[in-house]
Amino acid sequence: MTPATPVAGRDRLRIAIQKSGRLAEPARALLASCGLSWRESRDRLFCYGESLPIDLLLVRDDDIPGLIAEGVCDLGIVGRNVLCEQDLSGKVNGSGARFRELQPLGFGGCRLAVAVPDSWTWRDASQLAGKRIATSYPQLLSKWLAEQGIEAQVVLLSGSVEIAPRLGQADAICDLVSSGATLAANQLKPVLTLFESEAVLAGPAAELEDVRGELMELLLRRLDGALRIRRSKLLMFQAPRELLPTLLPLLPDAEAPTVMLIDGEERLALQALCHGALTWQRLEELKRAGARGLMVLPVEGLLA
Ligand code: PRT
Ligand code: ZN
């Protein structure tokens, strides 16, 4: 593989995303919310950017770090698990990091966990010593085992890892878990979390110097806005004027709220952009503190 040097003459930014699978739709939706649109090609592997010179390459997620490292793509949306596993294997092979995480994207959340048969009485990690552990993430698992000082046999499987103990191929597994339903269906229980993952925007280890660097900056700015919008809600309510000092501390995640006096200045109407989750519990707490007519509205656009 050649290092991440820009391919001469390319003045369009190219982003690799998963063609199909868990991250495919959310990745496209996120990029679309940044104002990108594309013309689909007939083979559906390449999408030509129409609103901006930013094209999509639709590939398998495992290929994304390599495509960035080779300079075939400038950016990619991929699970942190895939990025770190391949980063470690690059380091193990002596070639060093050629890609890096630029921005977590807030979807595709999961964790890499060790799971053991339900029948095990679990105490601690030392029980893994001398055991066979099946995984598709040999680098992340080996690194963790080395850090813990545990000697165990890593059994590399490319798929269906959770069935390995029943087939007698392994004693335990190390695999991605989200709901945990797959583990439970295979009479396994998660006992340790090695690594927390989510979809991330990945880019080359070195900065892009040409026009693509400017496009990347523009995209990162829009992504930042789009991600903030996803987390943000507009909260509105009314309350007696004198309750403001009690109500404001209940809004620690709000940007400087707008407060208007109404009803002959007896009452206030407040609106605040909140960046944390506005749960029922929080709304009930505000109501108990005197807020009335509480309303939570989605935010369509945000420009600081
Ligand atoms: O075809 P391609 O190679 O592109 O896709 P893939 O089959 O390798 O990947 P895909 O689409 O399954 O996953 C893409 C990425 O989604 C992963 O690299 C993770 O970053 C992320 N992700 C999030 C997950 C899960 N959640 C997840 N639950 N990837 C896999 N799983 C597996 C899990 O291991 C279990 O076997 O899904 C199964 C169901 O999980 P539970 O815990 O909800 O039962
Ligand atoms: Zn894959």
Side-chain angles (χ1 to χ4, degrees):
M1 249 181 231
T2 50
T5 43
V7 175
R10 195 144 64 74
D11 55 1
R12 300 176 66 85
L13 199 68
R14 198 177 285 164
I15 310 180
I17 65 168
Q18 213 186 3
K19 180 174 192 295
S20 58
R22 281 186 174 78
L23 306 183
E25 274 319 303
R28 281 184 88 130
L30 179 62
L31 293 173
S33 74
C34 293
L36 305 194
S37 61
W38 309 272
R39 195 167 62 219
E40 305 270 340
S41 70
R42 208 168 286 165
D43 60 8
R44 303 201 67 243
L45 296 177
F46 185 84
C47 304
Y48 184 84
E50 290 194 313
S51 54
L52 280 171
I54 302 182
D55 306 323
L56 291 187
L57 198 62
L58 310 185
V59 296
R60 289 200 59 182
D61 65 346
D62 318 72
D63 294 337
I64 292 175
L67 289 168
I68 297 172
E70 289 170 35
V72 174
C73 289
D74 309 301
L75 294 170
I77 294 183
V78 64
R80 182 182 291 133
N81 47 300
V82 172
L83 201 65
C84 288
E85 178 69 20
Q86 295 199 17
D87 187 18
L88 284 173
S89 70
K91 281 184 183 147
V92 170
N93 299 336
S95 47
R98 297 140 302 159
F99 42 77
R100 65 193 163 117
E101 177 176 332
L102 298 175
Q103 167 90 55
L105 299 175
F107 62 88
C110 57
R111 59 200 173 101
L112 185 66
V114 169
V116 299
D118 281 337
S119 55
W120 281 32
T121 307
W122 183 254
R123 288 182 310 278
D124 59 47
S126 66
Q127 285 168 266
L128 296 172
K131 300 285 193 246
R132 297 164 302 157
I133 312 174
T135 191
S136 309
Y137 294 89
Q139 302 294 341
L140 285 165
L141 174 59
S142 301
K143 178 170 177 271
W144 181 83
L145 287 168
E147 281 165 4
Q148 305 297 312
I150 296 170
E151 282 195 26
Q153 189 189 334
V154 176
V155 179
L156 176 61
L157 294 180
S158 56
S160 306
V161 170
E162 55 281 336
I163 207 168
R166 269 197 289 158
L167 297 180
Q169 292 171 297
D171 306 298
I173 70 162
C174 171
D175 198 11
L176 297 176
V177 183
S178 45
S179 69
T182 305
L183 291 183
N186 287 283
Q187 293 93 50
L188 297 167
K189 58 183 176 189
V191 288
L192 294 162
T193 295
L194 274 52
F195 185 83
E196 300 278 353
S197 186
E198 66 182 284
V200 301
L201 182 73
E207 303 272 320
L208 289 174
E209 301 286 347
D210 55 16
V211 64
R212 287 175 294 155
E214 289 162 32
L215 281 169
M216 194 190 294
E217 255 179 53
L218 172 87
L219 181 66
L220 281 168
R221 267 201 311 277
R222 288 197 186 178
L223 260 179
D224 188 51
L227 293 170
R228 277 202 297 141
I229 288 174
R230 287 185 171 200
R231 290 191 296 264
S232 303
K233 295 275 183 288
L234 185 67
L235 171 70
M236 300 171 77
F237 61 75
Q238 297 185 5
R241 178 184 181 165
E242 67 276 12
L243 292 182
L244 190 60
T246 322
L247 290 162
L248 282 182
L250 300 177
L251 304 170
D253 58 338
E255 272 181 34
T258 307
V259 182
M260 291 157 285
L261 294 177
I262 53 172
D263 284 350
E265 307 208 337
E266 289 290 297
R267 294 175 62 73
L268 61 87
L270 179 146
Q271 67 181 48
L273 186 64
C274 292
H275 298 299
L278 281 166
T279 57
W280 283 109
Q281 201 180 350
R282 279 190 72 187
L283 297 180
E284 283 155 7
E285 206 178 332
L286 285 161
K287 188 166 181 195
R288 275 197 299 278
R292 292 292 178 269
L294 285 141
M295 220 186 309
V296 180
L297 304 169
V299 178
E300 289 284 323
L302 198 62
L303 201 58

